[in-house]
Amino acid sequence: MFGQPTLINNVETFACVPAILRRGAEWFAAIGTERSKGTKVFALAGKVKHTGLIEVPMGMTLREIVEDMGGGVPDGGQIKAVQTGGPSGGCIPAAHLDTPVDYESLGRLGSIMGSGGMIVMDQQDNMVDVARFFMEFCRDESCGKCVPCRAGTVQMHDLLCRLLARQATARDLAKLEELCDLVRNTSLCGLGITAPNPVLSTLRFFRQEYLDLLAPEPWKPATPPAPSPASADTRPQPPHPASPWLPKSSPSTVRKSAPPKGRASSRPPTRRASASPPSATWRA
Amino acid sequence: MDRLKIATVWLGGCSGCHMSLLDLDEWLFELAKVADVVYGPLVDTKEYPAAADVCLVEGAVANTEHVELMHQIRQRTRVLVAFGDCAVTGNVTALRNPLGSAAPVLERAYLDPANLRPALPHEPGVVPPLLDRVLPLQEAVPVDFYLPGCPPPADRIKAFLQELLAGKAPHLTGANLRFG
Amino acid sequence: MDVGACRLCLVEIAGSNKLVPACTTQVADGMVVATTSERLQRYRRLLLELLFAERNHVCAVCVSNGHCELQALATNLGMDHVSFPYTFPKLEVDLTHRLFGMDHNRCVLCGRCVRVCWYVEGAATKNFSGRGAGSRIISDLNQPWGESRTCTACGKCVHACPTGALFEKGTTVGEMQKDRGKLEYIVTAREKKQWIV
């Protein structure tokens, strides 16, 4: 600005400036932790008595924020997790509520400070549905330029929907994790790189909720015959892909292939006509 | 060594892949020395055998009968092969999928052009209902190997089967892997 | 004119965890680049599968069958099937132009048509609309191509298109052969004053 190097991150940065000018940088730096200094504004929401915007010193624990300031879950409910960082943030389970809120601690738990969102979830909330909700946001916000973000978020969202409909198998869950890895490592910008975070963090702390939703492979008998010496070898088994499959006693390993799919989930496309020239970023 | 039990099935496809299989011509005699065709449109067997070694599946999974048959075949077959583009990708059979359901196709075929007594086929237990979404084989059951092509040329089928007969996992590359 | 959008040319650079697209990364002295690691090949194949699952690519009935860059990539990367469920979106085919057609079912949103139209032909007819999976290539203000008042009918977009999404009318299965050499000829002639056939 005015011919000088200028860094403006966002409105929150602006909001800090008057206070720092008035009371000095030392005063501001004295607030917070060793590496995360000053204060932070959060939009506290979800299953909490007092919702709204709050400003807290860095390093305050999650528990102080959601239980003392937020007043805890209404009607005596139990906190299950706190989601921080906005749609591409992560879910921190109640067991880690004493974590200080600073950049490093949140990062260690697979979450981020991000946009300053803080959503409290209680026992009623299904974490797979939470992941689906945020993935829907990332899918809709994808600009569509790079393939992994544009198409990968669609596939991840569809997989989460099928999990919730109890139509996904263990192979689908493996596919979901494969997609998270792909989209995180190959996307062009931050939106795609962080889009898998809601899935990754809920898988990390609430994997059982995913496992509870898995459906059996539809082609397998509902109740497999009890293995007995007489019947053990009668059922033909798929071969191990690498091993010679003659003679007949080959080990049984099903090769990985695409998941079964019941029905396409209909997804209204978002269209916005634009006559502007391609932006500079579309050029080399 | 036991003779190999090979099955073929014809789901939602045009039978072009089976025609291509017949295009193996004299090599079929070589195949017949080591294998029996135990099920499929080329043989008169009503029931899928209790155990087959290889099953070549032509066509996409397009109706409820296909789904049930494939579940049975997957349980009774050691090596399941998606045979041709319809089985691998849905291909032409799945061109109706963007319409969203089976209804527009049925209406176009049975109601729109009918002059006398337009009616949708309805014979429970006889005419299997169409799925709203045609599935490539791997979306219905786990598939061991893929043999793409529309249809796969006879040479490609031969290269594939030769590797299987030699006890190897077939690995198609280059021009042998082309769709379409 | 590269944009780093498809991510298929991602490479590993020693000393960095981040994968970078080769098309938009400047080489530097001493840079150690891995182009075909097992991980990169796996990612490339998955990205390609995402492209195939995203729209309705039916090689068997496509004008570009046998001359398609997408099809060739699949062959080269050993893609024998797509492990993601196909999304089967319902998409339009625009046949309003006198000479050319646009089949959105086969579009990979690479943007070559847009760039050639803006920066080589200078007509600025083609553009992107929408976002995410709803992105579309449009003509002018999202009008039927045939009603475009800026299109010069030069056909450069058709020849820049890697798939059968843009094609000359009257071609049937496997008949649409793209000639990118012509575009390179024009650009080389214009920029370097060299008329190399």
Side-chain angles (χ1 to χ4, degrees), chain A residues 248, chain B residues 3-9 35-56 76-77:
Chain A
K248 280 183 179 175
Chain B
R3 286 176 66 74
L4 206 59
K5 294 195 187 75
I6 296 182
T8 71
V9 278
D36 292 320
V37 179
V38 294
Y39 182 83
L42 305 174
V43 291
D44 187 17
T45 312
K46 309 297 181 207
E47 275 284 315
Y48 196 85
D53 295 308
V54 182
C55 183
L56 303 177
R76 298 181 177 186
T77 313

Side-chain angles (χ1 to χ4, degrees), chain B residues 18-40:
Chain B
H18 273 83
M19 294 296 130
S20 208
L21 185 67
L22 294 178
D23 279 345
L24 284 168
D25 298 338
E26 72 277 8
W27 194 74
L28 286 169
F29 290 107
E30 301 298 316
L31 191 60
K33 286 179 190 164
V34 293
D36 292 320
V37 179
V38 294
Y39 182 83

Side-chain angles (χ1 to χ4, degrees), chain A residues 67-148:
Chain A
E67 288 188 349
D68 298 346
M69 299 180 74
V73 181
D75 307 323
Q78 288 281 312
I79 293 175
K80 181 175 180 178
V82 178
Q83 205 273 359
T84 75
S88 38
C91 290
I92 298 167
H96 291 280
L97 273 185
D98 292 316
T99 305
V101 175
D102 57 57
Y103 289 96
E104 298 74 31
S105 304
L106 292 183
R108 273 194 294 276
L109 290 171
S111 191
I112 52 174
M113 199 74 81
S115 58
M118 187 174 282
I119 303 172
V120 181
M121 291 143 194
D122 70 1
Q123 298 299 332
Q124 315 260 307
D125 291 307
N126 180 298
M127 302 312 280
V128 183
D129 195 38
V130 169
R132 186 209 58 78
F133 176 82
F134 288 119
M135 188 56 70
E136 183 179 16
F137 178 88
C138 293
R139 182 200 68 184
D140 292 346
E141 292 303 317
S142 171
C143 82
K145 178 174 174 179
C146 81
V147 179

Side-chain angles (χ1 to χ4, degrees), chain B:
Chain B
M1 190 194 287
D2 287 348
R3 286 176 66 74
L4 206 59
K5 294 195 187 75
I6 296 182
T8 71
V9 278
W10 178 16
L11 307 180
C14 71
S15 91
C17 300
H18 273 83
M19 294 296 130
S20 208
L21 185 67
L22 294 178
D23 279 345
L24 284 168
D25 298 338
E26 72 277 8
W27 194 74
L28 286 169
F29 290 107
E30 301 298 316
L31 191 60
K33 286 179 190 164
V34 293
D36 292 320
V37 179
V38 294
Y39 182 83
L42 305 174
V43 291
D44 187 17
T45 312
K46 309 297 181 207
E47 275 284 315
Y48 196 85
D53 295 308
V54 182
C55 183
L56 303 177
V57 183
E58 173 187 342
V61 177
N63 65 35
T64 54
E65 189 181 50
H66 293 161
V67 175
E68 287 159 24
L69 180 63
M70 282 321 303
H71 288 176
Q72 185 184 56
I73 289 176
R74 180 66 273 186
Q75 287 176 51
R76 298 181 177 186
T77 313
R78 293 169 62 214
V79 177
L80 193 63
V81 181
F83 178 36
D85 275 1
C86 289
V88 180
T89 74
N91 202 29
V92 174
T93 313
L95 280 175
R96 71 170 165 88
N97 281 359
L99 299 177
S101 74
V105 183
L106 290 168
E107 284 162 17
R108 185 77 187 91
Y110 292 98
L111 301 185
D112 297 353
N115 290 325
L116 293 169
R117 295 192 303 279
L120 295 176
H122 180 70
E123 287 291 337
V126 180
V127 182
L130 295 181
L131 302 181
D132 280 336
R133 186 178 188 274
V134 174
L135 305 171
L137 192 60
Q138 69 270 17
E139 288 189 33
V141 291
V143 171
D144 297 303
F145 299 109
Y146 300 85
L147 178 46
C150 184
D155 286 347
R156 192 181 299 179
I157 303 173
K158 185 174 160 186
F160 182 90
L161 288 178
Q162 274 174 331
E163 290 206 41
L164 263 190
L165 294 174
K168 292 185 222 157
H171 183 63
L172 298 175
T173 54
N176 264 348
L177 203 55
R178 215 188 83 182
F179 290 90

Side-chain angles (χ1 to χ4, degrees), chain A residues 6-269:
Chain A
T6 309
L7 172 67
I8 301 166
N9 278 325
N10 56 26
V11 180
E12 200 176 358
T13 307
F14 269 139
C16 288
V17 172
I20 294 172
L21 288 178
R22 199 161 54 233
R23 304 178 74 162
E26 292 76 22
W27 164 80
F28 189 78
I31 306 169
T33 66
E34 178 64 29
R35 301 197 51 194
S36 302
K37 297 194 186 303
T39 64
K40 175 75 195 162
V41 174
F42 286 102
L44 189 58
K47 303 285 178 59
V48 67
K49 275 185 195 141
H50 316 300
T51 60
L53 287 174
I54 54 167
E55 184 177 10
V56 298
M58 291 276 191
M60 196 179 219
T61 65
L62 275 172
R63 189 182 302 283
E64 285 174 289
I65 296 175
V66 298
E67 288 188 349
D68 298 346
M69 299 180 74
V73 181
D75 307 323
Q78 288 281 312
I79 293 175
K80 181 175 180 178
V82 178
Q83 205 273 359
T84 75
S88 38
C91 290
I92 298 167
H96 291 280
L97 273 185
D98 292 316
T99 305
V101 175
D102 57 57
Y103 289 96
E104 298 74 31
S105 304
L106 292 183
R108 273 194 294 276
L109 290 171
S111 191
I112 52 174
M113 199 74 81
S115 58
M118 187 174 282
I119 303 172
V120 181
M121 291 143 194
D122 70 1
Q123 298 299 332
Q124 315 260 307
D125 291 307
N126 180 298
M127 302 312 280
V128 183
D129 195 38
V130 169
R132 186 209 58 78
F133 176 82
F134 288 119
M135 188 56 70
E136 183 179 16
F137 178 88
C138 293
R139 182 200 68 184
D140 292 346
E141 292 303 317
S142 171
C143 82
K145 178 174 174 179
C146 81
V147 179
C149 178
R150 183 181 75 220
T153 52
V154 170
Q155 293 284 348
M156 286 195 281
H157 181 260
D158 283 0
L159 276 167
L160 290 165
C161 287
R162 291 182 47 224
L163 265 164
L164 288 163
R166 296 180 181 271
Q167 289 173 351
T169 65
R171 289 187 296 142
D172 293 318
L173 184 56
K175 205 74 207 164
L176 180 62
E177 297 192 81
E178 189 179 28
L179 269 168
C180 287
D181 175 60
L182 176 79
V183 175
R184 184 165 64 164
N185 286 304
T186 62
S187 288
L188 179 67
C189 83
L191 192 122
I193 291 167
T194 56
N197 281 0
V199 180
L200 289 169
S201 84
T202 48
L203 268 171
R204 176 173 165 188
F205 293 115
F206 302 96
R207 193 179 185 85
Q208 191 57 44
E209 294 196 23
Y210 283 81
L211 300 178
D212 289 345
L213 288 169
L214 290 184
E217 289 277 359
W219 56 277
K220 281 184 178 166
T223 49
S228 67
S231 68
D233 291 320
T234 52
R235 209 163 64 90
Q237 300 286 343
H240 190 280
S243 71
W245 52 282
L246 291 172
K248 280 183 179 175
S249 57
S250 50
S252 67
T253 307
V254 180
R255 266 177 58 131
K256 243 171 67 175
S257 69
K261 169 135 186 172
R263 194 154 299 187
S265 63
S266 62
R267 201 171 40 75

